[in-house]
Amino acid sequence: MQGYDKLFINGQWTAPSHNKTFESIDPSNETVIAHIAAAGQPDVELAVQAARQAFDHGIWSTLTGKQRATYLHAIATEIRNNLKHLATLEVLDNGKPYPEAEWDINDAADCFDFYADLAEKLDQNTEQDIALPDARFSSVARKEPVGVACAIIPWNYPLLMAAWKVAPALAAGCTLILKPAEATSLTAIELGRIAEKIQLPAGVLNILTGIGSEIGPLLTEHPDIDKVAFTGSVPVGKDIMRSAAQQVKNISLELGGKSSFIVFEDSDLEAAVEWIMFGIFWNQGQVCSATSRVLIHEDIYDALLSRLKTEAQNIKIGNGLEADVKLGPLVNQKQYNHVLNAIQRGIDDGVPLITGGKCPDGFEKGYFVEPTIFADVPENHPLWNEEIFGPVVSIRPFKTEKEAVESANRSIFGLAGAVMSKDIARCNRVARALRAGILWINCSQPTFTQAPWGGYKQSGIGRELGEWGLENYLEVKQITSYNASEPWGWYLK
Ligand code: NAD
């Protein structure tokens, strides 16, 4: 594919300063599908200055929320107009099954519409009167955009993760630089084309493709960037915290997880099979909120394990563009090796492997891994504690609610959790006892633009989506007036 070797800076398609590109690979067959522009230091500088000037000159932030909303709705419309093209690119780049890619693209469009509506509402609530205990004073709290934002995103939901950051940042009045993951840059570049088509003012959205370890620190340490919004791994999140500390930058982090799914003895077995499987095998398990460790009550442990084994073996594996495929390849060789190594460690340590555990037969090319289930996983084993980010689920039995909650909470992560039982009071109790940012009752994974998203502990800082996502890109200013004619009295009497 041609046309992915330029950067989108200040409204122009620009060749990277050193004319460097890197390859994008189709993970289903390991062929090169595109050459992507690799930004260098001069490009970072150009993009930051473009965003800075667009912000400082008020090109974007001085528009009304209603005016910004018009652009955001236009982006949503263009995304929908290009649904099939964008979803196909996502499958080619990331490997996910096509129907899941269509969900992502539709969700991305909805996200732009949602934040367009919030941008309009900002016009009504930009300033809020504050009641003060001293009648001589009046005060308002005023919301203002943070400034120039930098959005660094991962490869698991490429356009959707871009939407989760670009839409609220633009709605708030920020200008920004989007840095997609090197494995999946295609739809971010398409977003640049959409910005060009709808005539988003130059410099408001800049797109820098490139190698994260090279240009990432240049962005996160840049003094002209006010805000860094990052989704990705915990180690890179920690690096970003360190580099942002130099200028005490505003940061928000969406990091990894090892989320638990607690299944009680009164659960409907077939519903449990459906949600446990969806919770770990959709998007090939490359989901930060995946419920990758499952606690099953001992009374139904053997029966449910046996059903999960049968159904996991029935999942159709293949190229995401083929009909009925539910499990595509992992995103790249690095992730494939990482997942297979994690599985091998479990096997070597004698953790019972119920099914899967290898590349499926007949797949000589591509990064395919079978749906994999480990049972009776020891609580101190890496399979139970470390994020694998692949189609690998670890299962343990439990006896009591207290034991299950304590086990689920023993984690450095706190992104999500799920609980299943016919006893809704019990579900609500457990959901409130788990230390995580997202809790599902009698399901796992459904995600809504309107609801807050983010983690406790090492799963991150801040919340995306909903009105919380907009707050990420807003500062709050206090303006207090002294309205009395008499002296204040500290000096003059
Ligand atoms: P990653 O951390 O390697 O990369 C994420 C992004 O950071 C990419 O764009 C990459 O180019 C960039 N990057 C790499 N090094 C950088 C540096 N030193 N400075 C700045 N940017 C840098 O993660 P990944 O492999 O792309 O994604 C997988 C991880 O992301 C998993 O751990 C997963 O849990 C997490 N994730 C979390 C969420 C969430 O919502 N919490 C969503 C998706 C993925």
Side-chain angles (χ1 to χ4, degrees):
M1 288 184 291
Q2 304 287 322
Y4 294 97
D5 55 356
K6 299 266 192 317
L7 307 164
F8 188 62
I9 301 176
N10 209 18
Q12 306 285 325
W13 292 100
T14 312
S17 53
H18 305 300
N19 271 320
K20 279 210 296 198
T21 58
F22 61 95
E23 292 176 343
S24 191
I25 309 281
D26 176 345
S28 71
N29 55 25
E30 302 173 43
T31 56
V32 176
I33 50 172
H35 290 89
I36 312 289
Q41 192 273 338
D43 307 307
V44 169
E45 205 48 47
L46 282 177
V48 174
Q49 291 323 320
R52 186 78 258 167
Q53 282 181 24
F55 186 79
D56 290 348
H57 296 169
I59 289 169
W60 187 245
S61 59
T62 57
L63 298 186
T64 62
K66 194 174 167 60
Q67 287 169 318
R68 290 198 297 274
T70 311
Y71 289 98
L72 289 168
H73 281 310
I75 294 175
T77 301
E78 279 305 311
I79 290 175
R80 286 196 191 94
N81 288 346
N82 290 286
L83 173 68
K84 289 208 158 28
H85 174 56
L86 293 169
T88 305
L89 286 181
E90 221 73 303
V91 177
L92 293 173
D93 225 8
N94 166 282
K96 65 178 66 199
Y98 182 84
E100 292 184 24
E102 273 207 359
W103 284 353
D104 292 1
I105 304 303
N106 277 318
D107 284 354
D110 291 349
C111 185
F112 277 98
D113 276 339
F114 177 79
Y115 282 105
D117 291 344
L118 287 197
E120 278 201 49
K121 282 198 190 129
L122 256 187
D123 288 340
Q124 275 81 58
N125 64 14
T126 299
E127 295 195 358
Q128 183 194 334
D129 290 333
I130 308 293
L132 298 179
D134 187 330
R136 293 171 299 170
F137 293 90
S138 62
S139 188
V140 293
R142 175 181 163 76
K143 293 177 180 173
E144 295 185 352
V146 169
V148 175
C150 167
I152 302 179
I153 57 169
W155 41 255
N156 55 348
Y157 296 89
L159 188 66
L160 187 58
M161 289 297 107
W164 282 21
K165 292 179 170 40
V166 174
L170 293 183
C174 292
T175 60
L176 80 160
I177 295 140
L178 171 67
K179 153 72 184 84
E182 36 279 65
T184 54
S185 301
L186 299 180
T187 49
I189 297 167
E190 295 291 340
L191 185 61
R193 291 201 229 288
I194 288 173
E196 185 183 28
K197 176 154 189 212
I198 65 147
Q199 298 181 341
L200 192 72
V204 171
L205 172 64
N206 305 274
I207 296 167
L208 287 184
T209 49
I211 307 302
S213 56
E214 293 173 11
I215 59 166
L218 298 175
L219 288 164
T220 56
E221 290 169 14
H222 202 294
D224 285 334
I225 288 180
D226 302 297
K227 153 102 198 168
V228 177
F230 173 76
T231 297
S233 61
V234 174
V236 174
K238 288 180 179 175
D239 283 347
I240 287 176
M241 262 186 111
R242 270 188 286 272
S243 60
Q246 292 173 38
Q247 290 116 23
V248 196
K249 266 193 216 324
N250 178 322
I251 55 170
S252 47
L253 304 173
E254 299 280 350
L255 307 176
K258 188 77 183 178
S259 301
S260 299
F261 195 158
I262 300 174
V263 183
F264 285 98
E265 67 284 359
D266 59 350
S267 300
D268 177 301
L269 224 55
E270 293 313 299
V273 169
E274 158 97 300
W275 288 111
I276 292 171
M277 301 240 307
F278 183 61
I280 185 60
F281 297 138
W282 80 303
N283 211 33
Q284 295 66 247
Q286 301 165 134
V287 184
C288 51
S289 59
T291 33
S292 53
R293 56 188 207 179
V294 179
L295 288 143
I296 301 178
H297 192 273
E298 58 181 9
D299 289 357
I300 56 167
Y301 188 73
D302 291 337
L304 187 48
L305 210 52
S306 148
R307 288 286 299 115
L308 287 168
K309 176 181 176 181
T310 306
E311 295 304 331
Q313 290 172 346
N314 279 340
I315 288 181
K316 183 169 175 190
I317 304 173
N319 183 317
L321 293 174
E322 284 169 28
D324 301 325
V325 161
K326 287 269 184 292
L327 199 91
L330 300 187
V331 72
N332 59 19
Q333 175 94 53
K334 183 177 159 213
Q335 193 63 14
Y336 179 71
N337 293 343
H338 168 74
V339 171
L340 287 181
N341 286 339
I343 292 172
Q344 195 55 47
R345 190 169 47 182
I347 295 170
D348 292 347
D349 291 343
V351 182
L353 176 66
I354 303 303
T355 187
K358 58 177 177 55
C359 172
D361 296 336
F363 287 84
E364 278 77 38
K365 283 277 179 195
Y367 307 122
F368 295 92
V369 174
E370 291 173 335
T372 298
I373 301 176
F374 284 98
D376 305 338
V377 180
E379 261 215 350
N380 61 357
H381 196 275
L383 278 176
W384 192 255
N385 295 301
E386 293 177 11
E387 183 178 54
I388 297 173
F389 225 57
V392 182
V393 63
S394 298
I395 303 186
R396 281 176 63 77
F398 73 91
K399 279 188 208 308
T400 66
E401 180 180 320
K402 182 169 181 288
E403 175 197 345
V405 167
E406 285 175 0
S407 175
N409 278 339
R410 266 193 292 279
S411 174
I412 60 164
F413 298 111
L415 185 57
V419 52
M420 179 168 274
S421 168
K422 290 203 175 90
D423 179 347
I424 298 303
R426 171 155 68 178
C427 288
N428 277 311
R429 200 165 55 235
V430 169
R432 280 153 185 78
L434 293 180
R435 299 269 305 147
I438 304 145
L439 264 299
W440 284 288
I441 292 178
N442 289 329
C443 62
S444 174
Q445 308 303 311
T447 299
F448 297 93
T449 315
Q450 293 74 10
W453 183 272
Y456 288 19
K457 303 191 244 179
Q458 292 192 30
S459 289
I461 298 176
R463 293 292 176 273
E464 296 195 287
L465 297 185
E467 62 200 64
W468 302 268
L470 187 66
E471 301 292 334
N472 256 332
Y473 298 92
L474 291 169
E475 291 279 13
V476 181
K477 176 184 279 178
Q478 172 198 157
I479 305 176
T480 297
S481 311
Y482 185 60
N483 305 317
S485 49
E486 74 263 22
W488 172 234
W490 179 80
Y491 184 65
L492 295 177
K493 296 288 177 203

